[in-house]
Amino acid sequence: MSSSTVYRFSFGPWNISEGADPFGPDAREVFPHESKFALYQPLGFEGVQFHDDDVVPGLDLLSPAQILTQAGQVATMLRNQGLVAEFVAPRLWFAEQTVDGAYTSNSASDRQYAWERTQRCVDIARAVGSKAIVLWLAREGTYIREAKNARVAYERLLALINQTLAYDREIEIWIEPKPNEPTDLAYVPTAGHAVALAYASQEHQRVKTVIESAHAILANLDPSDEMAFALAHDKLGSVHLNDQNGLKYDQDKNFGSANLRAAFNQVRVLEENGYGRRGEFVGLDVKAMRTQRGCPVVDHLKSSRELFLRLVEKVRTYDRRLVQELQDQRDYEALELYTLKHLLGGG
Ligand code: XLS
Ligand code: MG
């Protein structure tokens, strides 16, 4: 089995946050990105996930050449700190031009903005040495169904993917599905949708998906099954492990904190399929609680990483022979009890 996999961990600078929520002011002071990078190694993380404007702030006002110069400086900083850029994602939900979506906006000029921003994101990814861009399709959906033509929207998403594949012959595109928030309903809610888009594209080997635990739960699906589906197609570019307590706003809770058994199954699926052996990162998209004191607040990252590693041990000591026997006997009552006792520390 994959017992020798040594996992590499990643997170994005947004995971060390000011503790903001929509109902009150920031709970902590701004902690500048430059200072965040120094925290990665001591916390046991090696990969940095970026938004395009985390690498080059204010990029909309800069020329492509200026953008490349600034991205080059970040590349040097990463090298000096022993860090790797895992991916760069275009932040296509903040600008005035993306109020009603980016690639699926009804406005041709807004779609053009989104395409130009995507090209700059690819340039930045290349400059910082990252092999992938992530498309979290935040506003590609609707608040009311009548607002857009859904079929045309899918065609526009596919066209954009093909344009990006043609723009750069090596970059990979990892689509991160999420069913809702900030839209009422999103066009790419699940791994199935992302993988279908990949296969429909002109070079499907370069189109993969990122599965986030909380997003799968928001779609009322099991994250481990979403991951397994992507793995079956060799399309799991990365994972965003976290947790979510039911169908409500996106919580980004600590990995395993709402459902330890579901977390165990995610780790089990990753381990069983050799995830990580080709250098894939274990990304932790967790947010600190608003109530947590201090600055910077990083315990949520530490705890989620520790929990992941504890669960790796649980997966490696899971009695495969017994599990096989119980599966063969179709004794799922016994299989469940064994699994729960194993997680509790006995059995
Ligand atoms: C949202 C995502 C997002 C992407 C990058 O849940 O985590 O931040 O990963 O755009
Ligand atoms: Mg995410």
Side-chain angles (χ1 to χ4, degrees), residues 142-246:
T142 49
Y143 298 100
I144 61 167
R145 297 298 80 66
E146 300 84 3
K148 290 179 188 170
N149 179 325
R151 176 173 175 164
V152 170
Y154 283 114
E155 287 167 2
R156 286 181 171 152
L157 286 170
L158 183 57
L160 180 284
I161 290 167
N162 283 331
Q163 270 171 270
T164 309
L165 292 171
Y167 176 72
D168 185 298
R169 293 278 162 202
E170 283 174 35
I171 201 81
E172 292 188 3
I173 301 170
W174 299 347
I175 302 170
E176 182 174 336
K178 183 179 180 184
N180 62 289
E181 198 195 34
T183 56
D184 173 54
L185 286 175
Y187 287 133
V188 185
T190 68
H193 292 75
V195 168
L197 271 171
Y199 282 126
S201 75
Q202 270 156 20
E203 209 186 321
H204 85 81
Q205 292 84 350
R206 289 201 282 137
V207 187
K208 299 181 178 167
T209 179
V210 175
I211 301 301
E212 170 160 332
S213 326
H215 295 182
I217 296 164
L218 284 169
N220 214 3
L221 296 171
D222 184 88
S224 73
D225 281 349
E226 287 283 89
M227 289 170 194
F229 178 79
L231 284 161
H233 296 274
D234 194 16
K235 292 206 171 298
L236 192 60
S238 189
V239 289
H240 261 178
L241 300 184
N242 56 18
D243 216 342
Q244 169 76 26
N245 192 16

Side-chain angles (χ1 to χ4, degrees), residues 262-310:
F264 166 74
N265 281 313
Q266 289 167 68
V267 178
R268 184 176 57 76
V269 162
L270 296 175
E271 269 271 300
E272 284 173 355
N273 290 285
Y275 180 84
R277 285 196 171 173
R278 288 176 293 174
E280 303 97 325
F281 279 95
V282 173
L284 294 169
D285 196 5
V286 288
K287 292 238 166 61
M289 294 178 216
R290 182 175 160 83
T291 44
Q292 193 66 6
R293 290 203 169 92
C295 183
V297 165
V298 292
D299 283 353
H300 56 305
L301 289 159
K302 257 202 280 196
S303 317
S304 294
R305 181 180 175 279
E306 182 183 335
L307 212 278
F308 178 90
L309 290 169
R310 292 288 289 268

